[in-house]
Amino acid sequence: MLVSGIISLISTRLVLQTLGVQDYGIFSLIVGVVGMLTILNGAMGISTQRFLSHTMGGGDPKELKTIFSTGLVIHFFLAIAIVILFALIGHVLIVQFLNVPIERIKIAIRVFYVVLFGSFFNIITTPFDGTLTARENFKTIAFAEILLSFSLLGSAIFLLFTSLDKLIIYTVLTTVSAIGIAIFKQFYCIKRYAECSYNPKYFNRKYYKEMTSFAGWNLFGALCSLARGHGL
């Protein structure tokens, strides 16, 4: 965490210096808007991790595969639904509601869809993140975070040498970095843990209802906390 924090401070300064206040603000705004979907994904992620941890205590490999496969299906369709929804409203959202300078609206729209594309991979990786946490494999989690930090630092340094639109370039590079880390986690878990291999026969409707219900209460709590924190 300390290494990632230091690298993040350096990266942020470089990005702000190269993008400028306006483009950095646009990037942060769009990432924040798309990041709103992490409330729902986060609630579902907590649910998946909770069921995985509980099942690991029972020591039943088949049931563990059932939990993982069910969680993976839920996150896959959740990712599709969120991406479709944001893709449909993205243009209107940026043009009508976000305070983006007129001359940068087209670029902002492109940035929005690139970030949205990356979010798809982040969402479907959630069950793998839950497995790593449930297995208490914090070394791999820390390694992935440090690797991502160095990738973002490399993206920031690259901006110093490109003559192309820096906002677009930075968005593409950071999204590719995030997707790369997500794929790394997926392959690692598939190779390391037997339960991390999807099989349709392990999908269980009973667990589907229980996991989504648990996630629903988590989401309700998160929304209440958000409303309280913003004075609503």
Side-chain angles (χ1 to χ4, degrees):
M1 292 297 292
L2 178 61
V3 175
S4 297
I6 293 174
I7 296 174
S8 178
L9 288 174
I10 299 173
S11 300
T12 302
R13 181 174 180 178
L14 283 175
V15 173
L16 182 58
Q17 177 184 339
T18 52
L19 288 184
V21 175
Q22 177 176 281
D23 280 357
Y24 183 79
I26 292 173
F27 177 80
S28 300
L29 177 63
I30 292 175
V31 169
V33 170
V34 177
M36 288 191 302
L37 58 85
T38 60
I39 297 178
L40 177 57
N41 184 49
M44 195 63 240
I46 293 173
S47 176
T48 302
Q49 181 186 327
R50 182 262 182 191
F51 277 83
L52 284 171
S53 299
H54 182 268
T55 306
M56 284 178 187
D60 187 345
K62 185 177 179 180
E63 188 176 6
L64 199 57
K65 289 184 177 181
T66 300
I67 293 294
F68 180 85
S69 293
T70 303
L72 190 61
V73 169
I74 293 173
H75 281 87
F76 178 76
F77 285 104
L78 176 64
I80 291 177
I82 288 175
V83 168
I84 291 176
L85 174 63
F86 273 72
L88 292 174
I89 68 174
H91 188 278
V92 175
L93 186 65
I94 292 174
V95 174
Q96 299 294 332
F97 296 98
L98 300 185
N99 187 21
V100 178
I102 296 177
E103 67 275 9
R104 300 298 284 172
I105 285 181
K106 289 184 178 180
I107 296 297
I109 291 173
R110 294 175 187 175
V111 169
F112 179 86
Y113 287 116
V114 171
V115 173
L116 186 61
F117 176 74
S119 70
F120 175 84
F121 289 88
N122 289 332
I123 294 172
I124 62 175
T125 305
T126 302
F128 298 93
D129 289 328
T131 299
L132 289 172
T133 303
R135 291 283 186 176
E136 298 183 351
N137 192 344
F138 300 117
K139 288 184 179 180
T140 301
I141 295 173
F143 174 77
E145 289 297 324
I146 293 174
L147 191 61
L148 178 60
S149 296
F150 275 109
S151 298
L152 297 180
L153 178 60
S155 301
I157 293 174
F158 183 80
L159 294 180
L160 299 172
F161 304 99
T162 182
S163 58
L164 301 175
D165 190 290
K166 297 184 188 305
L167 179 54
I168 289 293
I169 295 298
Y170 183 69
T171 302
V172 171
L173 290 177
T174 53
T175 300
V176 170
S177 297
I179 292 174
I181 297 300
I183 294 175
F184 162 75
K185 291 179 181 177
Q186 292 174 19
F187 273 98
Y188 178 88
C189 289
I190 290 172
K191 290 287 186 179
R192 183 76 181 272
Y193 305 118
E195 68 270 16
C196 293
S197 56
Y198 173 72
N199 191 326
K201 73 176 183 179
Y202 286 115
F203 178 80
N204 186 293
R205 291 187 178 182
K206 175 178 175 291
Y207 280 126
Y208 168 81
K209 292 179 180 179
E210 291 180 0
M211 292 170 72
T212 52
S213 176
F214 187 85
W217 285 109
N218 282 332
L219 178 61
F220 177 75
L223 291 175
C224 288
S225 177
L226 181 66
R228 182 185 63 182
H230 288 77
L232 299 178

